[in-house]
Amino acid sequence: MEKEEKQEVEAAAATARRRLVIGVGFWVQGFRLFPWLGVNFFLKDGMGVAASSLQILQASANLPMVAKPLLGLLSDAVPIRGHRRLPYVAIGALLQAISWLAIALWPAISLPVLTIFLLLSNFGASICEVANDAIVAEAGKQATSSSGSGQLQSFAWMFGSSAGALGNLLGGIALSYFSPRIMFLFFAILLVLQFFTTVAIPESSLKLPKAATNLSALASIRKQVKDLSCALCMPEMFWSIIWFTVSYTIIPFLLGTMFFYQTEVLRLDSSVIGLSKVFGQVALLAWSMSYNKYFKAMSARKVLSVLQFALALIMLSDVLFVQGIYRKIGIPDSIYTIVFSGLFEGLMFSKVLPFSVHIAKLCPAGCEGSVMAFVMSALALATVISGYLGVALAAFMGVSGDDFSALPVCLLIEAACTMLPLCFSSLIKERGEKEKKEE
């Protein structure tokens, strides 16, 4: 009895430490929206960057996220001092801290130098996210209940969304009183604190699965590549990832163009833009809570299809907004921007939670980090391509910083492209009941 009680206490302590690590990791990464809000205004007002250039830089900054499969393989196969997760979190936090400190303190920084440091920052963030996602996946596999993985995913999302909401709220306020460089410096200090906190926690106390010690680093990487290939060859895994990636790639997102329209044409204050992003993060937070409680038992295909359709509806609503219809019926531009633009940004990534839970259920044991990293890499590449398509669409239709007359047509095309993935939602494969019982 004493031995069992001791094991229960140790398991409870390990669970608490895992939640601490996951909470801090996702909270800091969610708070990245605080400096990135400052980056948008720093580029537009401080450096005079055009709308197309702003959106190209926003999309290109996500390119380091495409390296996540390689980082996932390294995290799974190459332990650092016998540990596979927390050392990578610490390295990622350190790289981000160096990047934001350089951006904050570099006098008269040029656009190429700024781009390099933003890429380095996102490379560090991708390392952190790979390790954090792997911790969530591995801890979810160890849960005693069948819904453990979904609960842990929702827990991580709630921390990330709440930090994102707080970051956007404080960012909108800070831009009214401080320069963006002060925001960059503040976030760099947070990253330094995360680095020392992570270093102080021994990974062995998390009770995560042990890495194989009888294989060399090269042999271990080869094994992980083989396991990842086998996992991706599973029909339900392969076709689900194809649909998820295409559902983003096919959409020419116009985020940079809408940002310029709201700030240059409508003259909305930075606090309004910040509040709209806060609303989006609050919507994501509410979604993560409601998904865990009401929707996690539903078919992933139904949930993802409904979210895709809702995103298209918001785009159609933006057409009426740009044409001034809502203004004519008494809805101020600021209110619409806060609510619907925020809801749009929230809906853009609302599919990530149910899809992550769906993939985590399908993922074979031992390659969680690699598979989740591959999925997030595919998402990053899809958003980069969709951002470039948005720039191409705006340029083709003649939309620029001085002429937004063709913006309603661009939004209609964007909405039509968003509806296309609904035509082949049958690609989202579910594991058969027979296979579930056998497992």
Side-chain angles (χ1 to χ4, degrees), residues 181-403:
R181 289 179 182 268
I182 300 297
M183 300 169 63
F184 305 154
L185 182 60
F186 177 77
F187 185 64
I189 294 173
L190 281 182
L191 289 166
V192 172
L193 293 176
Q194 183 194 16
F195 170 77
F196 285 110
T197 301
T198 305
V199 170
I201 299 176
E203 184 171 321
S204 57
S205 66
L206 303 183
K207 305 298 183 183
L208 295 175
K210 299 292 183 181
T213 57
N214 57 340
L215 295 176
S216 65
L218 183 59
S220 185
I221 290 178
R222 287 176 178 173
K223 180 180 181 298
Q224 288 295 330
V225 170
K226 182 179 179 181
D227 292 343
L228 176 61
S229 301
C230 292
L232 295 179
C233 287
M234 296 167 56
E236 60 270 22
M237 181 90 71
F238 176 79
W239 291 112
S240 295
I241 293 176
I242 289 293
W243 184 92
F244 183 71
T245 305
V246 172
S247 71
Y248 284 96
T249 308
I250 202 172
I251 305 173
F253 282 121
L254 300 166
L255 295 177
T257 304
M258 286 298 292
F259 174 75
F260 261 75
Y261 177 77
Q262 292 165 349
T263 55
E264 293 297 313
V265 177
L266 302 181
R267 298 292 179 182
L268 296 179
D269 188 70
S270 61
S271 61
V272 174
I273 304 300
L275 284 174
S276 72
K277 295 180 180 297
V278 169
F279 190 88
Q281 291 299 314
V282 171
L284 271 180
L285 178 61
W287 164 241
S288 64
M289 297 172 65
S290 58
Y291 174 79
N292 184 53
K293 190 173 183 180
Y294 301 109
F295 301 106
K296 67 184 177 184
M298 289 182 60
S299 164
R301 181 187 304 170
K302 292 181 181 178
V303 174
L304 294 170
S305 298
V306 170
L307 293 174
Q308 189 78 10
F309 181 73
L311 184 63
L313 289 181
I314 295 294
M315 293 176 181
L316 292 175
S317 179
D318 281 346
V319 176
L320 302 179
F321 168 65
V322 171
Q323 291 179 330
I325 303 299
Y326 292 114
R327 193 183 310 119
K328 293 177 182 178
I329 62 177
I331 300 177
D333 293 333
S334 59
I335 298 299
Y336 180 91
T337 299
I338 290 173
V339 177
F340 287 91
S341 295
L343 189 60
F344 172 78
E345 293 200 18
L347 279 172
M348 274 181 59
F349 297 103
S350 60
K351 293 184 295 184
V352 176
L353 173 59
F355 189 78
S356 297
V357 173
H358 175 62
I359 291 298
K361 293 177 181 177
L362 302 176
C363 183
C367 59
E368 294 89 353
S370 303
V371 171
M372 296 305 296
F374 182 86
V375 171
M376 292 300 105
S377 171
L379 173 61
L381 182 60
T383 55
V384 169
I385 295 174
S386 65
Y388 291 159
L389 289 178
V391 173
L393 175 62
F396 178 78
M397 299 300 296
V399 177
S400 64
D402 301 321
D403 183 10

